[in-house]
Amino acid sequence: MTDLQNPKWMYLKGALFLLILISSTLLILLEHPDLKLAILLGLAIWSAARLYYFMFYVIEKYIDREFKFSGIGSFIRYLFRR
């Protein structure tokens, strides 16, 4: 399998991830309409996005310029090699 290179397909992939995020969040909150759950869910989503940004951008641009991110698995291998 080759890397996705067409910008239109990349945007579609991003839009599908957004659709999954919105629909799964709405379904959880519709099943359990609770302010505490909504806040915790928001924090979990936000922190997961920040962790991904850290693994992808911060490590590669500021900490170790030789590290090339290719997924969460490559980040875990990077941690165990250090």
Side-chain angles (χ1 to χ4, degrees):
M1 182 181 265
T2 62
D3 288 338
L4 188 59
Q5 296 179 357
N6 185 324
K8 289 180 182 179
W9 288 109
M10 290 180 201
Y11 280 118
L12 176 63
K13 185 177 180 180
L16 291 173
F17 282 135
L18 181 61
L19 179 65
I20 292 169
L21 171 67
I22 292 170
S23 60
S24 59
T25 302
L26 283 176
L27 288 171
I28 289 170
L29 292 175
L30 286 173
E31 189 168 326
H32 303 283
D34 180 49
L35 181 60
K36 180 181 175 182
L37 178 64
I39 292 170
L40 291 173
L41 191 56
L43 286 171
I45 292 167
W46 175 80
S47 63
R50 298 305 298 170
L51 175 62
Y52 192 81
Y53 170 79
F54 175 79
M55 290 187 297
F56 169 65
Y57 192 79
V58 174
I59 298 289
E60 191 174 310
K61 301 296 182 195
Y62 296 108
I63 296 174
D64 185 354
R65 293 187 183 265
E66 293 183 19
F67 173 68
K68 297 300 176 210
F69 182 85
S70 64
I72 294 172
S74 70
F75 178 73
I76 292 170
R77 283 189 301 277
Y78 170 80
L79 286 179
F80 284 112
R81 280 187 285 149
R82 297 194 53 72

